[in-house]
Amino acid sequence: MAYMSQEGYDNLLAELKRLESVERPKASAAIAEAREKGDLSENSEYDAAREAQAHLEDRINQLKLTISEAKVVDTSRLSADSVQILSKVEMTNLATKAKMTYTIVSESEANLREGKISIQTPIAQGLLNHKVGDEVEVQIPRGIIKLRIDNITVG
């Protein structure tokens, strides 16, 4: 089961709709066009179109599975007492004094440019269930970083 925000769930539904209503017909048309060019045994366009369609169908099936396993979190029931999914965490790297703010989201909603990190990441895992003022040591690929939680908000 994947916990996510309503916005993340709606985005998945929109992507699924676009893939099924726009991209799938395009893929079928590309296969039909390539098929019209003759001998399929040596038709690289046909092979490429079939492969693209297979990738598209995989993505559609993956989205359907994610949507079926999704559990939308009611943010009004979340608390800012400790870090949890959909918490927006302001923290300070104690070694560099750098301030960072991340929102902890599901794997499918993660987007570093928007400051959204997956709950699966080492930083998110290290922050979970900690409170404002806590100092946590987080094992990341480059070593251990020490973070202080400065503020927690929800949503």
Side-chain angles (χ1 to χ4, degrees), residues 38 134 149:
D134 286 359
I149 300 172

Side-chain angles (χ1 to χ4, degrees), residues 3-129:
Y3 291 95
M4 64 180 58
S5 66
Q6 185 66 50
E7 176 190 5
Y9 184 78
D10 292 344
N11 289 342
L12 289 178
L13 287 176
E15 183 182 355
L16 178 62
K17 184 177 180 182
R18 182 184 64 79
L19 292 178
E20 288 181 328
S21 63
V22 177
E23 298 302 325
R24 189 181 264 162
K26 275 189 199 173
S28 295
I31 289 172
E33 186 180 317
R35 188 180 287 132
E36 290 172 7
K37 294 187 176 167
D39 185 8
L40 297 182
S41 64
E42 294 181 20
N43 189 333
S44 60
E45 264 185 68
Y46 178 76
D47 292 341
R50 295 277 304 169
E51 191 173 324
Q53 184 184 41
H55 287 297
L56 175 66
E57 293 302 324
D58 282 349
R59 179 67 183 138
I60 288 172
N61 290 331
Q62 194 178 29
L63 277 171
K64 284 182 176 178
L65 181 63
T66 302
I67 289 167
S68 72
E69 293 177 343
K71 173 121 177 69
V72 175
V73 176
D74 179 359
T75 54
S76 69
R77 301 185 67 182
L78 294 178
S79 161
D81 293 343
S82 64
V83 178
Q84 55 196 323
I85 191 151
L86 301 182
S87 290
K88 184 175 188 173
V89 185
E90 295 172 35
M91 64 201 105
T92 303
N93 179 327
L94 294 175
T96 64
K97 303 298 180 218
K99 301 242 182 237
M100 304 176 285
T101 302
Y102 292 122
T103 302
I104 298 173
V105 296
S106 68
E107 188 75 40
S108 62
E109 294 179 87
N111 182 335
L112 203 50
R113 272 191 241 116
E114 295 176 7
K116 296 177 179 180
I117 61 171
S118 165
I119 194 162
Q120 306 294 329
T121 61
I123 290 178
Q125 288 292 305
L127 293 171
L128 284 179
N129 300 317

